[in-house]
Amino acid sequence: MTAGGADARLRARDLGLAPGIFRPGALNAITDVAGLRVGHVTLIEGEGTRTGVTAILPHPGNPFADRVPAGLSVMNGFGKLAGATQLAELGEIETPIVLTNTLAVGRAVEALVDWTLARNPEAVSVNAVVGETNDGRLNDIRARGVTREHVLAALDGAAGGPVAEGSVGAGTGTVAFGFKGGIGTASRLLPPPLGGWTLGALVQANYGGALTMDGIPVGRELSRWYLKEHTDRGDADGSVMVVIATDAPLSDRNLSRLAARAMAGLARTGAAFSDGSGDYAIAFATHPGVRRTAERRAHQAIIADWPNDRMSPLFVAAAEAVEEAVLNAMTMATTITGRDGRTGRRAKVEALDLAALRAVLARHGR
């Protein structure tokens, strides 16, 4: 395994990339949403295992008892998002969200069920939400290196504060736009006249197209993009998982609308949304006034609901945060050498060269 890159890795804003109009939160991370926690387990073992787990806990309490409203959006559905149909049907999530690789979904579901049952002795049904992307270009995915213990460690180690990005957790073996992909995060703050809400996004970037960074055609300028010379180089297929969190008091219906705006953020990065890509976004709200507590689920209750005609600023914030989260995943990722899970051969994917990126940005006046 190669740590990757002679240059120290930097976030997008440190390189002069600052997409959008709203300012980020203090951490420019999904954890700017108060109480939200993120945990990673990164697996780099032997010559072939290059994978991991990322867990997102919506609030400090018991997510099964105090459920959060949620919405789902799917652009291209080539994926294995466990729990998706019940999430869409009921408009809520009752477990943390776990991200991992495609063939680890089953084990992650089992671990998440165990974690939930241990905290809820009355539970007899658990809708575990587990998303995935296929990291088989760098990870010996058939070896199934992710275990129950790894998932539990990510859950139990979740914390607030800065979020590790790049080739970590569920982003350890991912590839995006032909470069090393990974985990990225960003946030946006709405000004008080627009509600003063915080919105954060986290992405597991493993998809492709023609990389665009804050409107600059980086992929084309670095001569690496999908359909270059009319040939599919394999830089389009893949998947992306997006998780959006906000402290605004949103209904599940408006959270589904919010999740759909993640696709605008992905489109700005040059996503191809190809036939073999799974493009999923989950959005949830942590506001105490919309949490579905046991008492509220048992009785008719008045639930706070941000009005439709004030949603547009949140839509803008979601697209911006998702776009910047992808940029952070790309600029923070490190070069990884592993083993292709399909061929068994040694494989290496280079991280985006920041020196070359700086040159491209300079040509565009950044």
Side-chain angles (χ1 to χ4, degrees):
M1 173 263 184
T2 306
D7 293 339
R9 306 310 289 177
L10 297 170
R11 302 189 84 194
R13 283 185 181 256
D14 296 323
L15 293 161
L17 295 163
I21 58 174
F22 291 126
R23 65 184 180 91
L27 300 170
N28 196 13
I30 195 170
T31 45
D32 282 316
V33 177
L36 190 144
R37 293 170 288 160
V38 175
H40 294 305
V41 166
T42 300
L43 298 176
I44 298 177
E45 299 173 351
E47 295 184 354
T49 299
R50 305 288 185 267
T51 190
V53 181
T54 297
I56 303 165
L57 281 66
H59 58 72
N62 181 340
F64 185 81
D66 294 341
R67 301 170 189 179
V68 293
L72 172 68
S73 180
V74 181
M75 176 61 82
N76 192 71
F78 194 100
K80 290 82 184 166
L81 177 53
T85 55
Q86 185 171 315
L87 187 165
E89 183 71 20
L90 301 184
E92 65 187 24
I93 54 174
E94 60 187 36
T95 69
I97 298 169
V98 168
L99 306 179
T100 187
N101 76 60
T102 304
L103 297 188
V105 170
R107 288 179 176 173
V109 168
E110 287 286 337
L112 197 46
V113 168
D114 288 346
W115 187 92
T116 302
L117 292 179
R119 289 158 177 77
N120 300 276
E122 78 289 357
V124 294
S125 175
V126 176
N127 186 47
V129 178
V130 178
E132 56 80 30
T133 70
N134 192 313
D135 56 16
R137 284 180 63 181
L138 282 170
N139 175 46
D140 184 5
I141 194 169
R142 291 173 60 90
R144 303 177 69 191
V146 174
T147 66
R148 170 185 178 275
E149 288 67 32
H150 294 136
V151 179
L152 294 176
L155 290 163
D156 293 338
V163 177
E165 295 173 291
S167 306
V168 297
T172 302
T174 61
V175 180
F177 301 102
F179 303 99
K180 182 66 187 69
I183 295 292
T185 188
S187 69
R188 291 294 185 270
L189 302 179
L190 295 189
L194 300 180
W197 309 116
T198 300
L199 179 146
L202 183 144
V203 302
Q204 180 190 18
N206 190 52
Y207 65 107
L211 177 61
T212 303
M213 306 184 85
D214 197 9
I216 298 172
V218 172
R220 294 204 300 274
E221 296 223 11
L222 296 182
S223 193
R224 189 178 304 185
W225 70 90
Y226 175 55
L227 296 179
K228 182 174 183 287
E229 299 176 355
H230 308 287
T231 302
D232 184 348
R233 294 161 37 107
D235 292 345
D237 282 346
S239 296
V240 57
M241 280 295 312
V242 179
V243 178
I244 296 172
T246 182
D247 58 6
L250 303 187
S251 65
D252 56 276
R253 178 181 54 80
N254 270 332
L255 285 162
S256 293
R257 300 176 72 203
L258 190 69
R261 271 60 182 186
M263 304 308 165
L266 295 176
R268 293 174 187 176
T269 69
F273 300 113
S274 67
D275 176 71
S277 184
D279 315 300
Y280 296 89
I282 297 170
F284 62 85
T286 65
H287 191 286
V290 296
R291 289 186 196 170
R292 299 177 178 182
T293 63
E295 182 179 2
R296 286 174 176 162
R297 295 198 308 274
H299 305 284
Q300 185 175 359
I302 297 174
I303 303 294
D305 188 4
W306 196 242
N308 292 335
D309 60 7
R310 300 198 69 188
M311 284 297 299
S312 292
L314 285 164
F315 292 160
V316 173
E320 291 183 7
V322 170
E323 178 184 8
E324 187 164 351
V326 172
L327 304 191
N328 285 333
M330 301 297 297
T331 62
M332 290 296 290
T334 53
T335 298
I336 294 288
T337 300
R339 180 181 296 158
D340 190 311
R342 297 161 296 185
T343 66
R345 300 193 187 103
R346 188 173 182 271
K348 182 179 182 179
V349 177
E350 298 280 353
L352 184 63
D353 185 324
L354 297 190
L357 175 59
R358 288 180 192 274
V360 171
L361 298 182
R363 289 198 294 272
H364 288 263
R366 302 295 179 90

